[in-house]
Amino acid sequence: MRPAEGGAVEGPGSFDELLGLVRAGEVAVLTGAGLSTESGIPDYRGPDGTRRVMPMQYDEFSGSSAARQRYWARSFIGWQRFTRAHPNAGHRAVTALQRSGRLTGIVTQNVDGLHQEAGAHDVLELHGTLDRVVCLTCGDRSSRVALHERMALANPGFADRVLAVAGDASRVTSQIRPDGDIVLDDDLVTTFHLQACLVCGRDTLKPDVVFFGESVPKETVAHAFDTVDRARGLLVLGSSLAVMSGYRFVRRAHRDGKPVAIVTAGPSRGDGEATIRLHGPLGETLTRLAAAVA
């Protein structure tokens, strides 16, 4: 690999080839957690692709009230910091590419809503969104903001106790995960009061996102495949493609003989299928790309 102008490192292909692919239009975009790291939301994996943290699994969450208490206590704190994140240059560049008419669609593995906050529209959220809550018992969907307000009323002083344990807010912030979760002492978790569904009264509320061990809804997968099928090429941004929920779209594009461009800082499961592979800072690289396309 060789250094490329704009901070990226080139593997197969080059920045100029990436520019040519996007400038020709009809490109599907798939984004992952790496696109949001410049907004202060770390991803699950280190630069070498090794998983740094293991999120709560669906079976564990759905299996007991104690597991849900642990998740929501940690997420209650994490959500407050998670919502302070704002779109970065990479998100804004993707919006600019969409407005230029070059994209068939945007599919994201992220649950942070930063694409939409940056002005993108018709974003397919493959793994759902943290803005909503779903009840696993009755299926009712409601606002995460409203639930957070109920949790705050039921747990006065909880956030202050967390900060007292953590030492300062920066320590908590550094442990935020892509799903808004944080690391929290078990002694604090057991003092947290869960909130029940306002429709059925059960404590089975869950963020409306796809947990590890849970399947992406079939209609969502079909929509994403349609976005890729209508495209002339696929552009992957900030995803290691370690899980099949994203990697399958690379396999589909490669199977159909379409060019696959991957821009991310670390290794990717799809590197073998990539016709264009750039390693580098996404914000800087995508800003340059959007400016050249305009």
Side-chain angles (χ1 to χ4, degrees):
M1 297 179 184
R2 60 188 186 279
E5 182 183 348
V9 175
E10 298 175 1
S14 65
F15 179 85
D16 287 342
E17 289 177 90
L18 173 63
L19 174 58
L21 172 67
V22 175
R23 183 175 277 161
E26 298 182 340
V27 174
V29 169
L30 172 67
T31 69
L35 187 65
S36 293
T37 56
E38 293 178 33
S39 293
I41 303 175
D43 58 18
Y44 283 114
R45 299 176 187 275
D48 62 353
T50 302
R51 185 182 294 281
R52 292 184 294 217
V53 292
M54 177 59 71
M56 183 174 286
Q57 305 288 301
Y58 176 75
D59 286 345
E60 180 184 4
F61 181 90
S62 61
S64 71
S65 293
R68 291 188 287 276
Q69 180 189 43
R70 185 165 65 255
Y71 175 86
W72 281 116
R74 297 173 355 182
S75 189
F76 174 72
I77 301 299
W79 171 253
Q80 298 175 61
R81 289 154 180 80
F82 192 84
T83 54
R84 294 174 189 168
H86 295 292
N88 60 55
H91 295 108
R92 293 190 290 273
V94 172
T95 298
L97 292 175
Q98 185 183 54
R99 288 174 176 168
S100 76
R102 263 60 174 211
L103 308 183
T104 63
I106 301 169
V107 180
T108 185
Q109 296 173 280
N110 299 339
V111 296
D112 51 37
L114 294 182
H115 276 301
Q116 294 90 326
E117 190 177 334
H121 60 85
D122 297 327
V123 178
L124 180 60
E125 295 172 310
L126 196 63
H127 295 156
T129 175
L130 282 175
D131 280 345
R132 293 191 306 267
V133 177
V134 60
C135 177
L136 297 179
T137 300
C138 70
D140 180 66
R141 281 178 164 79
S142 55
S143 161
R144 175 66 178 269
V145 172
L147 176 62
H148 184 83
E149 291 173 352
R150 288 204 287 135
M151 286 180 169
L153 289 173
N155 294 277
F158 185 78
D160 293 334
R161 294 197 298 277
V162 168
L163 295 182
V165 171
D168 61 73
S170 64
R171 178 180 166 190
V172 175
T173 301
S174 69
Q175 299 178 85
I176 277 184
R177 300 170 181 179
D179 61 357
D181 196 4
I182 63 162
V183 176
L184 198 60
D185 191 277
D186 287 343
D187 290 340
L188 280 169
V189 167
T190 58
T191 69
F192 188 80
H193 297 286
L194 275 175
Q195 292 301 288
C197 173
L198 294 176
V199 175
C200 69
R202 299 288 297 275
D203 73 351
T204 49
L205 294 174
K206 169 184 169 290
D208 198 7
V209 301
V210 177
F211 274 34
F212 281 80
E214 187 178 8
S215 297
V216 178
K218 291 182 179 179
E219 60 272 19
T220 303
V221 174
H223 188 176
F225 271 130
D226 179 65
T227 299
V228 174
D229 290 345
R230 289 185 290 106
R232 191 180 52 82
L234 176 63
L235 173 58
V236 180
L237 304 173
S239 177
S240 67
L241 301 169
V243 294
M244 185 57 71
S245 66
Y247 180 52
R248 57 184 148 195
F249 304 115
V250 169
R251 293 180 63 184
R252 176 75 150 243
H254 180 71
R255 182 203 71 183
D256 293 343
K258 298 177 180 180
V260 175
I262 300 177
V263 184
T264 191
S268 161
R269 187 180 181 182
D271 285 351
E273 287 96 343
T275 48
I276 301 170
R277 181 66 171 96
L278 299 184
H279 301 251
L282 282 161
E284 183 178 354
T285 303
L286 293 175
T287 297
R288 181 184 169 211
L289 178 65
V293 167

